[in-house]
Amino acid sequence: MVEQVKVHKGLDGVVIDESRLSLVNGSEGKLIYGGYKIEDLAAHALYEEIVFLLWEGRLPNAAELEQLRQDIANAAVVPPQVIEAVKQYPKDADPMAVLRTAISMLAMYDPDSEKYTPDANHRKAIRLNGQAVTLVAAWPRIRKGLEPIAPRKDLTLAANFMYMLEGKEPAQADVDAINTFMVLLTEHGMNASTFSSRVTLSTGSDMHSAIVSAIGTLKGPAHGGANTEAMKMFMEIGEPENVATWFEENIKSGKRRIMGIGHRVYKALDPRAAVLHKRAEAISKGARTDKWYVIADSLATLARADSYFIERNLYPNVDYFSAIVLYTLGIEVDMFTTLFAMSRMAGWTAHIMEQAANNRLVRPEVLYTGPLDLPWVPLEER
Ligand code: ACO
């Protein structure tokens, strides 16, 4: 007789701990970081202000913000051994595999790698936040045979990203768009990648290992990989006039899902998607073409009027319109998820430090459904 226990498939609705970092209210479509509404933060905050808010539990004053900006910019340099190794990776490697592998290698050059004190974790978190941005900006250059560009000490992370990617002074509008994207993606409760990071840390493992777990988990198309998949879908649709037929053939037929729509927690509109929708519209109006926005907007409108999507409370999530924003900024499609990863670094490291401060091994159970009491059969009799 198998013991009767409730199986929480996919850990749906399971609360694993307390956290002061963010509140995700799925039924009302609200997101709060450390007490502040995401809409206010997206409109006003610098990414570094969010980093401070998550790590310290309050907003910084001007001097504290400038100090953290400098600390991260100074720590954003990637050791030359790691850059040399990245240059050896296959040029067609998946950018998330590149980031995951390079971050793992960073651990071996980090002077605090195997130190577990709160101060050591804080120093590693600063380095990881800067170095991830440098690595994400470096890969598109390296795979084209270009030299990566070192971070500047005078820039914010968002500005440094665009500068290192393009090799020239970035346009302020582009920096603002990347900063908003980073703020919106920084933190999101007990999502799958954050959970992975906390599980790894809970065994007494180190921060870099926890981040490698998180990156591997973010990569999947049900999670962070959806931004790349959403853009590929818009490109497959190709033209605004194809949206209705594509929807009928691929979605109404039940063959596929719309990538960038649906969420485990949000049963109302993801508030990040609302901000990104407006941003995608604005940025597309000033671009060479607004066709990608028109395709995304028409497909979302079609889905919103469809009974299947209405009954299941399926709305665009953060990945849907962020694909349009990133594409319009000139980011290569397969790089999108790495930009999500570099933005989430502050959230992951905050959760890791929170877990470390009050750790208990994360070790759930599984319901065994295999056979019992089988007689042992010697090898020659099988
Ligand atoms: N398109 C069409 N139908 C969908 C979609 C979609 N995008 N998402 C969910 N559904 C349907 C499912 O088929 C299912 O229908 P059913 O009840 O008739 O079987 C129902 O809605 C519930 O879906 P589940 O997969 O059970 O929901 P779950 O909470 O496990 O999955 C997920 C959530 C993975 C995000 C899902 O909505 C999905 O696959 N979306 C597309 C991928 C995506 O955008 N991922 C990014 C999420 S946001 C983030 O991680 C940053």
Side-chain angles (χ1 to χ4, degrees):
M1 254 289 278
V2 177
E3 196 190 339
Q4 289 301 308
V5 292
K6 178 155 172 44
V7 175
H8 299 274
K9 184 97 170 145
L11 297 184
D12 205 343
V14 174
V15 177
I16 66 141
D17 209 334
E18 296 176 359
S19 172
R20 61 159 180 79
L21 299 172
S22 64
L23 170 70
V24 184
N25 180 332
S27 55
E28 292 176 35
K30 289 187 179 152
L31 173 60
I32 285 166
Y33 294 171
Y36 298 93
K37 287 192 202 71
I38 195 66
E39 291 82 0
D40 289 340
L41 297 173
H44 305 295
L46 200 59
Y47 178 73
E48 283 86 341
E49 281 179 283
I50 308 297
V51 180
F52 192 102
L53 173 65
L54 294 177
W55 292 355
E56 308 299 336
R58 62 179 174 84
L59 286 172
N61 63 31
E64 289 168 331
L65 177 60
E66 175 53 15
Q67 187 62 55
L68 181 64
R69 189 206 60 73
Q70 279 180 27
D71 290 347
I72 295 178
N74 288 336
V77 178
V78 171
Q81 297 92 329
V82 177
I83 292 290
E84 285 313 308
V86 174
K87 286 182 181 170
Q88 305 307 315
Y89 297 169
K91 299 290 177 276
D92 61 352
D94 183 275
M96 284 295 275
V98 168
L99 183 65
R100 189 191 62 221
T101 309
I103 296 271
S104 191
M105 189 170 175
L106 279 178
M108 294 181 281
Y109 294 91
D110 193 301
D112 292 311
S113 184
E114 300 301 332
K115 294 188 193 124
Y116 297 81
T117 61
D119 283 351
N121 276 343
H122 192 259
R123 290 192 295 271
K124 285 189 278 192
I126 286 179
R127 283 193 281 271
L128 276 162
N129 270 267
Q131 289 169 329
V133 170
T134 304
L135 284 168
V136 173
W139 180 241
R141 299 183 65 86
I142 289 175
R143 71 178 171 183
K144 287 190 205 92
L146 298 171
E147 267 306 304
I149 292 167
R152 266 171 45 186
K153 294 190 185 334
D154 59 322
L155 297 180
T156 63
L157 264 185
N160 242 333
F161 174 71
M162 290 310 286
Y163 164 71
M164 290 189 281
L165 187 71
E166 297 176 340
K168 59 178 175 34
E169 201 65 33
Q172 194 54 45
D174 294 357
V175 172
D176 290 345
I178 286 290
N179 182 74
T180 306
F181 169 84
M182 292 179 74
V183 166
L184 290 169
L185 274 290
T186 315
E187 160 59 14
H188 206 240
M190 197 44 56
N191 58 86
S193 54
T194 298
F195 179 62
S196 286
S197 76
R198 289 187 83 134
V199 171
T200 301
L201 203 281
S202 82
T203 69
S205 189
D206 63 288
M207 182 177 278
H208 285 80
S209 297
I211 294 297
V212 170
S213 296
I215 294 172
T217 308
L218 186 74
K219 183 170 178 285
H223 192 10
N227 51 13
T228 291
E229 296 305 318
M231 194 64 222
K232 284 192 202 156
M233 184 184 69
F234 302 141
M235 293 173 130
E236 181 189 319
I237 295 170
E239 297 296 333
E241 58 266 31
N242 299 340
V243 169
T245 319
W246 185 91
F247 183 70
E248 203 61 37
E249 286 174 1
N250 294 282
I251 307 302
K252 291 301 283 175
S253 64
K255 284 191 211 147
R256 294 165 66 179
R257 291 181 172 205
I258 302 186
M259 301 313 288
I261 285 193
H263 198 274
R264 172 60 66 80
V265 180
Y266 289 120
K267 300 304 164 201
L269 181 64
D270 179 339
R272 304 166 300 174
V275 176
L276 284 162
H277 189 164
K278 287 200 198 104
R279 181 62 83 141
E281 184 177 17
I283 204 168
S284 298
K285 290 230 165 92
R288 198 173 45 80
T289 171
D290 67 351
K291 119 172 151 175
W292 304 113
Y293 169 74
V294 175
I295 290 174
D297 186 48
S298 316
L299 182 60
T301 306
L302 216 52
R304 276 314 304 142
D306 188 274
S307 58
Y308 177 94
F309 287 80
I310 294 167
E311 281 158 20
R312 289 166 182 75
N313 295 312
L314 299 169
Y315 296 82
N317 60 52
V318 70
D319 287 328
Y320 192 84
F321 286 107
S322 69
I324 303 296
V325 171
L326 296 181
Y327 189 77
T328 310
L329 285 172
I331 309 294
E332 291 164 74
V333 177
D334 68 344
M335 291 298 303
F336 288 3
T337 313
T338 59
L339 271 82
F340 188 154
M342 74 182 198
S343 312
R344 186 52 63 83
M345 194 59 76
W348 287 333
T349 48
H351 275 275
I352 287 167
M353 290 188 276
E354 202 175 51
Q355 182 77 32
N358 186 15
N359 186 36
R360 180 150 196 250
L361 173 69
V362 180
R363 203 299 187 191
E365 293 185 42
V366 70
L367 179 64
Y368 176 69
T369 57
L372 294 168
D373 302 329
L374 295 179
W376 173 251
V377 184
L379 189 57
E380 56 279 9
E381 290 173 28
R382 278 177 245 156

